[in-house]
Amino acid sequence: MNRFFRPLEVKSGKDYEKHSALTQVLSKDAYHMENAVVFTNENVNNKGKISYRPIYMVMFLKEKEIEFGDLSVERFCM
């Protein structure tokens, strides 16, 4: 099953473009993160792999149900 994860960050203030942890995650190929979204007090903007969106746009995020495998202890008992 292919899964797609997109890191999200919420920032306030004028230094919303400073996000060292997010930049590190996006730079590591092992994490397979193609892009990220930062919610901020500013307007819509895109820079590289990061999309900046106004905080009020959080209401447009959609929740998807994720199916997890059976991790019950009984499954692994002999």
Side-chain angles (χ1 to χ4, degrees):
M1 173 188 290
N2 291 333
R3 294 179 189 232
F4 176 75
F5 297 95
R6 177 177 292 145
L8 303 175
E9 193 168 306
V10 179
K11 302 283 279 192
S12 63
K14 296 293 179 188
D15 63 344
Y16 67 93
E17 290 182 326
K18 293 181 182 178
H19 31 67
S20 59
L22 189 60
T23 303
Q24 285 289 341
V25 168
L26 290 173
S27 70
K28 304 288 182 189
D29 291 334
Y31 292 127
H32 306 288
M33 300 286 178
E34 294 181 12
N35 54 38
V37 177
V38 174
F39 290 98
T40 178
N41 293 327
E42 302 298 320
N43 290 322
V44 173
N45 191 9
N46 295 313
K47 287 190 178 179
K49 294 182 173 185
I50 302 175
S51 299
Y52 297 94
R53 299 293 181 259
I55 290 175
Y56 70 83
M57 292 183 83
V58 168
M59 69 179 166
F60 297 112
L61 290 176
K62 292 184 179 180
E63 183 178 342
K64 278 189 169 181
E65 187 175 325
I66 299 173
E67 294 181 27
F68 292 98
D70 182 8
L71 299 176
S72 62
V73 175
E74 293 81 19
R75 179 173 176 231
F76 298 101
C77 291
M78 293 184 183

XYZ file of all heavy atoms in Angstrom:
647
model
N 0.844 -1.178 0.000
C 0.000 0.000 0.000
C 0.890 1.243 0.000
O 1.784 1.385 0.815
C -0.896 -0.010 1.239
C -1.680 1.269 1.392
S -2.581 1.390 2.950
C -3.818 0.176 2.710
N 0.675 2.138 -0.941
C 1.407 3.393 -0.968
C 0.747 4.390 -0.044
O -0.453 4.603 -0.100
C 1.448 3.968 -2.384
C 2.301 3.132 -3.302
O 3.211 2.461 -2.867
N 1.998 3.176 -4.582
N 1.547 5.001 0.799
C 1.030 6.020 1.715
C 1.740 7.324 1.433
O 2.925 7.353 1.132
C 1.248 5.605 3.162
C 0.442 4.391 3.507
C 0.690 3.989 4.925
N 0.066 2.706 5.142
C -0.756 2.456 6.119
N -1.039 3.381 6.990
N -1.280 1.272 6.257
N 0.992 8.382 1.561
C 1.535 9.701 1.305
C 1.402 10.524 2.575
O 0.306 10.638 3.127
C 0.775 10.355 0.147
C 1.212 11.757 -0.121
C 2.418 11.999 -0.755
C 0.434 12.817 0.247
C 2.830 13.292 -1.009
C 0.832 14.114 -0.005
C 2.037 14.346 -0.643
N 2.500 11.043 3.065
C 2.495 11.885 4.253
C 2.979 13.272 3.879
O 3.921 13.429 3.106
C 3.416 11.300 5.333
C 2.962 9.965 5.817
C 3.469 8.803 5.276
C 2.016 9.880 6.822
C 3.055 7.566 5.724
C 1.587 8.649 7.279
C 2.104 7.491 6.730
N 2.329 14.259 4.437
C 2.737 15.637 4.216
C 2.871 16.315 5.579
O 1.897 16.455 6.305
C 1.709 16.387 3.377
C 2.077 17.858 3.181
C 1.092 18.569 2.294
N 1.223 18.034 0.954
C 0.196 17.881 0.129
N -1.013 18.206 0.500
N 0.373 17.394 -1.075
N 4.092 16.728 5.926
C 4.254 17.401 7.212
C 3.569 18.767 7.206
O 3.571 19.476 6.203
C 5.769 17.541 7.365
C 6.347 17.320 6.027
C 5.345 16.560 5.217
N 2.966 19.092 8.348
C 2.298 20.379 8.537
C 2.934 21.099 9.713
O 3.329 20.475 10.690
C 0.810 20.179 8.846
C -0.018 19.395 7.846
C -1.419 19.205 8.381
C -0.045 20.098 6.504
N 3.000 22.398 9.612
C 3.524 23.202 10.710
C 2.692 24.465 10.806
O 2.278 25.019 9.784
C 4.996 23.531 10.443
C 5.716 24.085 11.636
C 7.216 24.131 11.426
O 7.814 23.086 11.098
O 7.780 25.226 11.584
N 2.442 24.925 12.010
C 1.697 26.170 12.234
C 2.659 27.166 12.854
O 3.297 26.875 13.867
C 0.482 25.949 13.161
C -0.252 27.263 13.402
C -0.447 24.909 12.565
N 2.778 28.337 12.226
C 3.710 29.356 12.697
C 2.974 30.682 12.839
O 2.095 31.006 12.053
C 4.843 29.559 11.694
C 5.656 28.342 11.355
C 6.637 27.994 12.414
C 7.850 28.870 12.269
N 8.983 28.456 13.066
N 3.357 31.442 13.846
C 2.840 32.804 13.980
C 4.031 33.743 14.026
O 5.145 33.342 14.328
C 1.996 32.940 15.249
O 2.793 32.714 16.381
N 3.809 34.970 13.712
C 4.901 35.938 13.738
C 5.560 36.097 12.386
O 5.225 35.439 11.414
N 6.518 36.990 12.352
C 7.185 37.332 11.091
C 8.251 36.332 10.664
O 8.707 36.350 9.538
C 7.818 38.734 11.197
C 6.800 39.830 11.394
C 5.942 39.976 10.176
C 4.905 41.063 10.361
N 3.952 41.103 9.283
N 8.675 35.452 11.567
C 9.726 34.492 11.216
C 9.144 33.150 10.768
O 9.745 32.103 10.961
C 10.683 34.297 12.381
C 10.023 33.698 13.605
O 8.769 33.720 13.664
O 10.745 33.205 14.483
N 7.995 33.199 10.109
C 7.319 31.969 9.692
C 8.109 31.173 8.669
O 7.849 29.993 8.461
C 5.912 32.272 9.164
C 5.884 33.056 7.870
C 5.825 32.400 6.648
C 5.906 34.443 7.867
C 5.797 33.101 5.457
C 5.869 35.159 6.689
C 5.818 34.489 5.496
O 5.784 35.194 4.331
N 9.085 31.792 8.016
C 9.894 31.072 7.027
C 11.083 30.352 7.661
O 11.853 29.706 6.970
C 10.366 32.029 5.944
C 9.220 32.504 5.054
C 9.691 33.420 3.948
O 10.636 34.193 4.165
O 9.106 33.352 2.857
N 11.237 30.451 8.969
C 12.299 29.740 9.681
C 11.707 28.481 10.288
O 10.846 28.554 11.161
C 12.895 30.614 10.786
C 13.636 31.815 10.259
C 14.228 32.618 11.389
C 14.926 33.846 10.852
N 15.482 34.670 11.936
N 12.141 27.334 9.798
C 11.622 26.054 10.273
C 12.677 24.995 10.011
O 12.586 24.227 9.051
C 10.300 25.698 9.602
C 10.177 26.220 8.208
N 10.958 25.773 7.173
C 9.382 27.175 7.699
C 10.639 26.431 6.071
N 9.691 27.284 6.361
N 13.669 24.968 10.874
C 14.819 24.088 10.654
C 14.448 22.610 10.655
O 14.966 21.833 9.846
C 15.909 24.361 11.689
O 15.415 24.168 12.989
N 13.551 22.191 11.551
C 13.169 20.776 11.602
C 12.461 20.363 10.311
O 12.744 19.306 9.748
C 12.272 20.511 12.804
N 11.564 21.191 9.840
C 10.827 20.893 8.609
C 11.781 20.840 7.410
O 11.691 19.945 6.564
C 9.747 21.950 8.391
C 8.748 21.709 7.299
C 7.982 20.421 7.542
C 7.783 22.875 7.214
N 12.703 21.762 7.348
C 13.693 21.778 6.273
C 14.544 20.513 6.299
O 14.834 19.930 5.249
C 14.585 23.029 6.390
O 13.745 24.185 6.362
C 15.577 23.111 5.253
N 14.924 20.066 7.499
C 15.715 18.842 7.622
C 14.942 17.624 7.117
O 15.481 16.790 6.401
C 16.118 18.617 9.091
C 17.213 19.516 9.564
C 18.561 19.161 8.951
O 18.772 18.063 8.453
N 19.465 20.113 8.965
N 13.678 17.509 7.492
C 12.855 16.376 7.064
C 12.723 16.349 5.547
O 12.841 15.303 4.917
C 11.459 16.421 7.734
C 10.498 15.447 7.085
C 11.581 16.127 9.213
N 12.490 17.501 4.954
C 12.325 17.559 3.500
C 13.622 17.263 2.756
O 13.589 16.818 1.606
C 11.785 18.934 3.090
C 10.350 19.225 3.488
C 9.998 20.674 3.179
C 9.382 18.291 2.797
N 14.754 17.494 3.382
C 16.038 17.276 2.709
C 16.496 15.815 2.746
O 17.377 15.434 1.985
C 17.116 18.160 3.337
O 17.432 17.713 4.637
N 15.883 14.994 3.586
C 16.286 13.591 3.717
C 15.459 12.715 2.771
O 14.246 12.590 2.918
C 16.085 13.091 5.149
C 16.805 13.903 6.198
C 18.283 13.654 6.130
C 18.977 14.444 7.228
N 20.391 14.436 7.125
N 16.116 12.097 1.813
C 15.426 11.226 0.854
C 14.790 10.019 1.534
O 13.790 9.490 1.061
C 16.388 10.759 -0.231
C 16.809 11.887 -1.156
O 16.044 12.857 -1.292
O 17.904 11.792 -1.742
N 15.349 9.593 2.651
C 14.843 8.403 3.350
C 13.416 8.602 3.863
O 12.684 7.631 4.045
C 15.761 8.046 4.514
N 13.011 9.851 4.106
C 11.661 10.116 4.617
C 10.608 10.164 3.509
O 9.419 10.147 3.776
C 11.628 11.421 5.410
C 12.404 11.351 6.699
C 13.369 12.299 6.989
C 12.172 10.356 7.631
C 14.080 12.251 8.177
C 12.885 10.297 8.814
C 13.831 11.248 9.087
O 14.533 11.200 10.250
N 11.027 10.287 2.271
C 10.113 10.317 1.123
C 9.053 11.418 1.253
O 7.891 11.205 0.922
C 9.433 8.963 0.917
C 10.402 7.836 0.806
N 11.196 7.652 -0.306
C 10.730 6.837 1.668
C 11.961 6.595 -0.133
N 11.708 6.087 1.057
N 9.447 12.587 1.724
C 8.536 13.727 1.843
C 8.762 14.641 0.637
O 9.848 15.189 0.457
C 8.797 14.511 3.125
C 8.637 13.724 4.375
S 6.902 13.447 4.718
C 7.042 12.456 6.184
N 7.739 14.774 -0.177
C 7.892 15.585 -1.387
C 7.652 17.064 -1.124
O 8.241 17.911 -1.782
C 6.941 15.086 -2.464
C 7.287 13.692 -2.951
C 6.365 13.221 -4.038
O 5.602 14.038 -4.590
O 6.399 12.017 -4.339
N 6.745 17.377 -0.193
C 6.458 18.773 0.108
C 5.831 18.895 1.486
O 5.520 17.896 2.123
C 5.565 19.397 -0.963
C 4.307 18.605 -1.190
O 3.705 18.074 -0.269
N 3.897 18.493 -2.442
N 5.665 20.131 1.924
C 5.113 20.396 3.256
C 4.235 21.638 3.191
O 4.296 22.415 2.228
C 6.237 20.606 4.257
N 3.421 21.820 4.228
C 2.556 23.001 4.322
C 2.824 23.685 5.657
O 2.880 23.037 6.696
C 1.065 22.613 4.225
C 0.177 23.844 4.385
C 0.773 21.929 2.907
N 2.997 25.001 5.595
C 3.143 25.817 6.797
C 1.949 26.761 6.841
O 1.711 27.515 5.894
C 4.462 26.620 6.786
C 4.525 27.568 7.969
C 5.658 25.680 6.788
N 1.185 26.689 7.933
C 0.068 27.614 8.136
C 0.583 28.814 8.915
O 1.249 28.663 9.939
C -1.080 26.919 8.872
C -1.762 25.886 8.028
C -1.446 24.545 8.146
C -2.706 26.267 7.085
C -2.064 23.591 7.351
C -3.326 25.321 6.277
C -3.000 23.985 6.419
N 0.279 30.005 8.406
C 0.837 31.228 8.953
C -0.185 32.358 8.902
O -1.270 32.185 8.355
C 2.118 31.605 8.168
O 2.642 32.821 8.666
C 1.838 31.758 6.688
N 0.163 33.500 9.437
C -0.712 34.672 9.394
C -0.612 35.409 8.060
O -1.352 36.358 7.821
C -0.363 35.643 10.526
C -0.685 35.078 11.884
O -1.637 34.322 12.043
N 0.117 35.422 12.867
N 0.291 34.980 7.205
C 0.529 35.649 5.923
C -0.352 35.058 4.816
O -1.112 34.131 5.046
C 2.012 35.535 5.551
C 2.951 36.109 6.582
C 2.760 37.593 6.818
O 2.544 38.338 5.834
O 2.842 38.017 7.987
N -0.195 35.590 3.615
C -0.978 35.143 2.463
C -0.387 33.868 1.844
O 0.667 33.403 2.241
C -1.031 36.246 1.402
C -1.880 37.401 1.863
O -2.901 37.212 2.504
N -1.443 38.613 1.554
N -1.068 33.352 0.831
C -0.628 32.162 0.108
C 0.703 32.442 -0.581
O 0.890 33.484 -1.212
C -1.688 31.741 -0.930
C -1.188 30.617 -1.811
C -2.987 31.358 -0.242
N 1.629 31.473 -0.448
C 2.942 31.613 -1.050
C 3.551 30.224 -1.184
O 3.265 29.340 -0.388
C 3.825 32.495 -0.154
C 5.114 32.905 -0.826
O 5.315 32.682 -2.011
N 5.994 33.513 -0.058
N 4.374 30.023 -2.183
C 5.090 28.765 -2.369
C 6.571 29.064 -2.537
O 6.940 29.953 -3.312
C 4.602 28.014 -3.608
C 3.173 27.580 -3.471
O 2.774 27.034 -2.459
N 2.381 27.842 -4.494
N 7.403 28.323 -1.805
C 8.856 28.451 -1.947
C 9.461 27.061 -1.902
O 9.447 26.410 -0.868
C 9.444 29.314 -0.830
C 9.153 30.773 -0.972
C 9.945 31.590 0.011
C 9.652 33.067 -0.216
N 10.367 33.908 0.720
N 9.949 26.622 -3.039
C 10.542 25.295 -3.099
C 9.526 24.215 -2.779
O 8.447 24.169 -3.372
N 9.846 23.369 -1.810
C 8.973 22.271 -1.427
C 7.940 22.667 -0.377
O 7.179 21.830 0.084
C 9.806 21.121 -0.862
C 10.720 20.460 -1.860
C 11.450 19.311 -1.198
C 12.263 18.507 -2.183
N 12.874 17.338 -1.537
N 7.911 23.944 0.000
C 7.030 24.380 1.086
C 5.947 25.315 0.562
O 6.234 26.288 -0.132
C 7.832 25.064 2.204
C 8.882 24.089 2.741
C 6.916 25.543 3.309
C 9.824 24.664 3.760
N 4.704 24.990 0.912
C 3.558 25.838 0.585
C 3.134 26.560 1.859
O 2.914 25.921 2.887
C 2.391 24.996 0.072
O 2.748 24.314 -1.095
N 3.028 27.860 1.784
C 2.578 28.663 2.918
C 1.113 29.014 2.700
O 0.725 29.443 1.610
C 3.411 29.941 3.039
C 4.867 29.651 3.310
C 5.787 29.563 2.276
C 5.314 29.448 4.601
C 7.123 29.283 2.516
C 6.652 29.159 4.859
C 7.541 29.086 3.812
O 8.861 28.802 4.061
N 0.295 28.800 3.718
C -1.137 29.061 3.634
C -1.594 29.829 4.869
O -1.063 29.619 5.958
C -1.932 27.743 3.555
C -1.607 26.882 2.353
C -2.061 27.553 1.064
N -1.786 26.756 -0.111
C -0.778 26.959 -0.939
N 0.067 27.919 -0.721
N -0.618 26.204 -2.001
N -2.596 30.698 4.722
C -3.142 31.404 5.882
C -3.747 30.407 6.877
O -4.297 29.373 6.479
C -4.227 32.298 5.291
C -3.916 32.399 3.840
C -3.227 31.123 3.470
N -3.646 30.719 8.151
C -4.121 29.817 9.202
C -5.588 29.440 9.011
O -5.978 28.304 9.260
C -3.872 30.431 10.588
C -2.362 30.434 10.877
C -4.606 29.676 11.684
C -1.958 31.114 12.153
N -6.424 30.378 8.542
C -7.848 30.065 8.400
C -8.104 28.927 7.410
O -9.147 28.284 7.442
C -8.661 31.292 8.003
C -8.426 31.786 6.589
C -9.092 31.208 5.519
C -7.549 32.829 6.337
C -8.881 31.646 4.230
C -7.341 33.284 5.045
C -7.997 32.691 3.999
O -7.787 33.126 2.723
N -7.135 28.615 6.555
C -7.323 27.546 5.581
C -7.210 26.151 6.191
O -7.471 25.152 5.521
C -6.341 27.707 4.419
C -6.641 28.936 3.571
S -5.559 29.088 2.154
C -6.387 27.994 1.016
N -6.874 26.068 7.469
C -6.840 24.770 8.159
C -8.201 24.092 8.068
O -8.300 22.874 7.981
C -6.412 24.951 9.636
C -6.640 23.696 10.442
C -4.949 25.364 9.698
N -9.265 24.888 8.036
C -10.608 24.304 8.000
C -10.863 23.512 6.716
O -11.801 22.725 6.652
C -11.670 25.389 8.167
C -11.810 26.331 7.018
S -13.116 27.524 7.375
C -12.817 28.722 6.115
N -10.027 23.660 5.712
C -10.215 22.932 4.462
C -9.442 21.611 4.410
O -9.506 20.892 3.419
C -9.825 23.803 3.270
C -10.674 25.027 3.142
C -10.137 26.287 3.364
C -12.019 24.920 2.829
C -10.927 27.426 3.257
C -12.812 26.049 2.721
C -12.262 27.305 2.937
N -8.708 21.294 5.466
C -8.021 20.003 5.514
C -9.043 18.896 5.610
O -10.050 19.017 6.303
C -7.091 19.929 6.729
C -5.854 20.792 6.694
C -5.100 20.666 8.013
C -4.955 20.420 5.534
N -8.786 17.808 4.930
C -9.689 16.660 4.961
C -9.006 15.514 5.690
O -7.817 15.265 5.507
C -10.062 16.219 3.549
C -10.911 17.226 2.832
C -11.320 16.702 1.478
C -12.197 17.721 0.777
N -12.607 17.250 -0.539
N -9.776 14.815 6.480
C -9.259 13.671 7.205
C -9.532 12.415 6.400
O -10.634 12.199 5.911
C -9.945 13.555 8.562
C -9.422 12.443 9.409
C -10.092 12.397 10.767
O -10.696 13.396 11.174
O -10.015 11.344 11.397
N -8.501 11.602 6.245
C -8.664 10.322 5.565
C -8.497 9.218 6.590
O -7.641 9.287 7.466
C -7.603 10.138 4.478
C -7.903 10.809 3.185
C -6.886 10.355 2.164
C -7.296 10.780 0.782
N -6.327 10.333 -0.214
N -9.318 8.203 6.454
C -9.199 7.057 7.347
C -7.996 6.227 6.928
O -7.784 5.960 5.755
C -10.461 6.210 7.292
C -10.473 5.105 8.301
C -11.780 4.347 8.303
O -12.834 4.971 8.082
O -11.735 3.128 8.502
N -7.207 5.849 7.922
C -6.020 5.043 7.663
C -6.264 3.651 8.211
O -6.694 3.488 9.340
C -4.780 5.663 8.344
C -4.513 7.054 7.791
C -3.565 4.774 8.144
C -3.413 7.790 8.517
N -6.004 2.649 7.392
C -6.157 1.268 7.839
C -4.833 0.776 8.402
O -3.795 0.884 7.761
C -6.583 0.384 6.673
C -7.958 0.701 6.153
C -8.347 -0.217 5.015
O -7.841 -1.361 4.963
O -9.135 0.219 4.179
N -4.887 0.263 9.613
C -3.703 -0.286 10.247
C -3.800 -1.803 10.265
O -4.877 -2.372 10.363
C -3.569 0.226 11.692
C -3.254 1.688 11.765
C -4.257 2.625 11.981
C -1.958 2.128 11.615
C -3.963 3.967 12.041
C -1.648 3.477 11.674
C -2.659 4.398 11.888
N -2.674 -2.461 10.197
C -2.649 -3.920 10.276
C -2.970 -4.388 11.685
O -3.010 -3.604 12.630
N -3.207 -5.653 11.833
C -3.505 -6.255 13.133
C -2.217 -6.347 13.948
O -1.329 -7.127 13.636
C -4.125 -7.639 12.946
C -4.503 -8.296 14.261
O -4.421 -7.625 15.304
O -4.864 -9.489 14.239
N -2.121 -5.544 14.998
C -0.933 -5.540 15.847
C -1.244 -6.106 17.228
O -0.498 -5.896 18.172
C -0.392 -4.106 15.985
C 0.043 -3.457 14.678
C 0.467 -2.012 14.924
C 1.158 -4.223 14.024
N -2.332 -6.860 17.350
C -2.712 -7.399 18.647
C -1.695 -8.446 19.122
O -1.072 -9.140 18.324
C -4.100 -8.021 18.578
O -4.109 -9.087 17.667
N -1.535 -8.535 20.431
C -0.593 -9.469 21.028
C -0.968 -10.910 20.675
O -0.091 -11.731 20.405
C -0.568 -9.296 22.569
C 0.323 -10.338 23.225
C -0.108 -7.894 22.922
N -2.258 -11.195 20.623
C -2.713 -12.545 20.329
C -2.207 -13.033 18.976
O -1.951 -14.216 18.782
C -4.252 -12.624 20.356
C -4.864 -12.421 21.715
C -4.974 -10.942 22.086
O -4.919 -10.063 21.205
O -5.098 -10.677 23.291
N -2.039 -12.169 18.068
C -1.581 -12.533 16.730
C -0.158 -13.089 16.752
O 0.203 -13.918 15.932
C -1.654 -11.315 15.817
C -1.191 -11.594 14.426
C -1.450 -10.418 13.515
N -0.896 -10.714 12.220
C -0.091 -9.915 11.547
N 0.235 -8.755 12.032
N 0.379 -10.255 10.365
N 0.636 -12.637 17.690
C 2.043 -13.029 17.724
C 2.345 -14.119 18.756
O 3.481 -14.506 18.913
C 2.912 -11.788 18.004
C 2.784 -10.756 16.917
C 1.989 -9.644 17.087
C 3.450 -10.924 15.715
C 1.874 -8.691 16.087
C 3.319 -9.982 14.704
C 2.536 -8.874 14.888
N 1.325 -14.583 19.456
C 1.543 -15.659 20.447
C 1.702 -17.004 19.743
O 1.122 -17.257 18.703
C 0.350 -15.737 21.407
S 0.251 -14.315 22.484
N 2.485 -17.868 20.358
C 2.686 -19.210 19.780
C 1.815 -20.230 20.462
O 1.441 -20.176 21.530
C 4.144 -19.624 19.939
C 5.045 -18.784 19.105
S 6.716 -19.455 19.281
C 7.595 -18.309 18.333
